[in-house]
Amino acid sequence: MNADILRRFVRDIPDLPKPGILFRDITPLLADPEALKLAVDAMAAPFAGKEIDVVAAAEARGFIFAAPLALRLGAGFVPIRKPGKLPFDRNSFRYELEYGADELEVHVDGVSKGENVLLVDDLLATGGTMEACCRLLEQCEANIIGCSFLIHLVPLGGQDRLNPYTSHSVLRYDDDELESELSVQNREPGPAV
Ligand SMILES: O=P(O)(O)OC[C@H]1O[C@H](OP(=O)(O)OP(=O)(O)O)[C@H](O)[C@@H]1O
Ligand SMILES: Nc1ncnc2[nH]cnc12
């Protein structure tokens, strides 16, 4: 099964970026041409045949998958970026993180009212990033067709924040490894690593 093959290309890095977090490093997958193709095919498959005008994604890792998915689905690619990066007029959405706040922006002419948009990211964890992307594109009156992820860290609950949109992920992690990650999310930040 393709998911089993792909899983072997995801490297676990313990305690990054802080103690208790198991970082899912996708660079081995990106470096392997067959694994990369399998990943892009699997992320696109549920949305093939749907009318999609635009694939949109937040920097940086979302971009990696969004552009090939756009080509595969016959759609354009629209970047969603951190403040100060996009050169033209922008819509923006400010959102609260666990500690602090962040903001994402999209060009005012990036997505038009009523356009069918597929949102893409490499990984769904708490869902904060993708929820912000959804809210930003709702401001543009886009028609969000769904969200496609390579990896879904299921116990972190991100899926619940994406209602009512359809989301699909290729690799689901719902094992005990995530328990430590859940407890890290619920405690005060430790010293920077
Ligand atoms: O579901 P969430 O809890 O929001 O986490 C998922 C987000 O975290 C990572 O991005 P990161 O912010 O690390 O930025 P990067 O893509 O620039 O590495 C990942 O690429 C997702 O965008
Ligand atoms: N555990 C994790 N690994 C890689 N990227 C992430 N983004 C949010 N959580 C992550």
Side-chain angles (χ1 to χ4, degrees), residues 148-193:
S148 186
F149 303 92
L150 176 64
I151 295 173
H152 180 188
L153 306 182
V154 179
L156 300 185
Q159 171 94 51
D160 296 340
R161 298 173 69 171
L162 306 182
N163 287 328
Y165 304 117
T166 305
S167 71
H168 175 267
S169 47
V170 179
L171 300 177
R172 292 166 60 90
Y173 290 82
D174 35 20
D175 44 40
D176 296 342
E177 291 168 317
L178 285 172
E179 274 176 19
S180 66
E181 213 154 322
L182 281 168
S183 64
V184 166
Q185 289 203 340
N186 293 330
R187 71 174 192 233
E188 291 301 306
V193 287

Side-chain angles (χ1 to χ4, degrees), residues 68-92:
L69 251 73
L71 289 172
R72 193 65 52 90
L73 296 168
F77 165 63
V78 169
I80 296 173
R81 301 211 62 181
K82 295 280 172 65
K85 297 285 187 183
L86 288 171
F88 187 56
D89 297 342
R90 301 160 299 276
N91 286 322
S92 70

Side-chain angles (χ1 to χ4, degrees), residues 111-118 137 140-146 165:
V111 177
S112 309
K113 181 176 178 177
E115 275 194 311
N116 292 338
V117 180
L118 174 65
L137 293 189
C140 305
E141 300 185 78
N143 180 31
I144 299 173
I145 297 294
Y165 304 117

Side-chain angles (χ1 to χ4, degrees), residues 9-11 13 23-33 35-36 61 64-65 122 150-151:
F9 287 91
V10 178
R11 177 164 54 195
I13 312 281
F23 190 88
R24 314 292 163 153
D25 174 18
I26 58 167
T27 59
L29 184 154
L30 299 176
D32 185 281
L36 180 57
R61 282 178 267 158
I64 298 168
F65 293 100
D122 69 317
L150 176 64
I151 295 173

Side-chain angles (χ1 to χ4, degrees), residues 87-101:
F88 187 56
D89 297 342
R90 301 160 299 276
N91 286 322
S92 70
F93 183 78
R94 193 172 163 78
Y95 59 105
E96 299 303 316
L97 293 168
E98 195 176 6
Y99 308 107

